[in-house]
Amino acid sequence: MKIVRYLYQKQIRYGIVRGDAIHPIKGSLYETWQETGETVAAGDVQLLAPLIPNKLIGIGLNYAAHAEETGKPIPDEPMMFMISPTAVIGPEASIVLPNVDDRIDHEAELAVVIGKRGKNIPAERALDYILGYTCANDVSNRVLQKKDGQFTRAKSFDSFKPLGPIIETELDPSDLEVVCRVNGEVRQKGRTSDLIHTVPELIAHISTVFPLEPGDVILTGTPSGVGPLSPGDQVEVEVEGIGVLTNRVLGPLDDMAL
């Protein structure tokens, strides 16, 4: 099932995508819902981020090749950090660079959307707590990462967390291709089978620290090949079985002109 969040006739709604049509739903995405019986042409709506996360949890250095390119050792356990959910934008929205002096990188990732509350979740039951999966671009200011020694500021600027275009509920996360393209050029290509800590292991680990709740999003880490973004770039994140998340990159003066 493909879930979208969209703007249509000045209303924000959720719907199920079938072919070229969206079937609006009512109720709670995380409890009970039903289709309204309406249909909307997919081309008539503006897709938004598929959700605004409750908590947005990042995982660092979760691909061995990415750890190697950063010159850092592979962590023994998942490297967790928190990101402000206010950084989230949706498909076709603009990533706005706060300045053009710092190196600001793309990071293509599989994102996991939690569907029900759990604490101390066993890895063997972790998939039961997942609503679905979406694409993420974990845009990161490398200068601030190095300066701060932690990641929250570097990854939480407005527009630094594109998510979308859909939440796919029927997907096996164990071996999916994750690709990033900038202006059509492939910059990153990896597979989730190369994750150091698998999706069930991440859920089990995180939930020993705090409860995972409906609407939480976990960014599972990025493959090697991260690189800088510049104003005017078009960046695409594609995750097998989900789709393509596309965003344009603006500089600070471009944003002021809008």
Side-chain angles (χ1 to χ4, degrees), residues 212-226:
L212 286 170
E213 300 169 301
D216 288 351
V217 172
I218 302 168
L219 307 183
T220 58
T222 194
S224 62
V226 298

Side-chain angles (χ1 to χ4, degrees), residues 51-226:
L51 78 164
I52 299 299
N54 178 33
K55 295 191 291 289
L56 185 51
I57 305 149
I59 302 294
L61 304 178
N62 203 23
Y63 287 81
H66 176 53
E68 182 179 349
E69 74 179 350
T70 64
K72 296 178 181 178
I74 296 173
D76 294 331
E77 58 183 9
M79 180 191 295
M80 292 171 47
F81 53 90
M82 304 300 293
I83 305 163
S84 173
T86 58
V88 169
I89 59 173
E92 305 298 336
S94 296
I95 300 166
V96 180
L97 307 182
N99 64 71
V100 293
D101 298 318
D102 294 352
R103 173 168 165 161
I104 298 174
D105 285 3
H106 56 77
E107 293 191 3
E109 309 202 12
L110 171 70
V112 178
V113 181
I114 298 299
K116 66 179 182 179
R117 190 182 192 279
K119 182 77 165 68
N120 297 317
I121 300 168
E124 58 270 22
R125 293 177 48 212
L127 298 184
D128 296 338
Y129 289 79
I130 295 174
L131 173 67
Y133 307 87
T134 193
C135 305
N137 190 347
D138 184 16
V139 178
S140 304
N141 184 314
R142 299 304 187 202
V143 173
L144 294 181
Q145 264 187 269
K146 184 176 181 180
K147 179 179 180 180
D148 292 352
Q150 53 86 22
F151 299 166
T152 297
R153 179 165 68 139
K155 292 174 176 281
S156 293
F157 283 87
D158 290 349
S159 78
F160 269 27
K161 288 297 163 287
L163 298 178
I166 66 168
I167 298 171
E168 175 57 70
T169 64
E170 299 173 12
L171 200 62
D172 179 350
S174 63
D175 187 24
L176 302 173
E177 185 175 64
V178 179
V179 177
C180 178
R181 291 181 290 269
V182 178
N183 303 324
E185 175 189 356
V186 174
R187 293 270 192 91
Q188 294 179 269
K189 182 181 285 189
R191 301 198 70 86
T192 57
S193 52
D194 294 326
L195 285 170
I196 297 166
H197 305 288
T198 66
V199 169
E201 290 167 347
L202 293 176
I203 289 173
H205 179 80
I206 294 167
S207 69
T208 65
V209 181
F210 48 71
L212 286 170
E213 300 169 301
D216 288 351
V217 172
I218 302 168
L219 307 183
T220 58
T222 194
S224 62
V226 298

Side-chain angles (χ1 to χ4, degrees), residues 26-37:
K26 60 182 180 181
S28 170
L29 195 61
Y30 308 105
E31 295 176 7
T32 58
W33 56 266
Q34 61 185 26
E35 296 184 21
T36 65

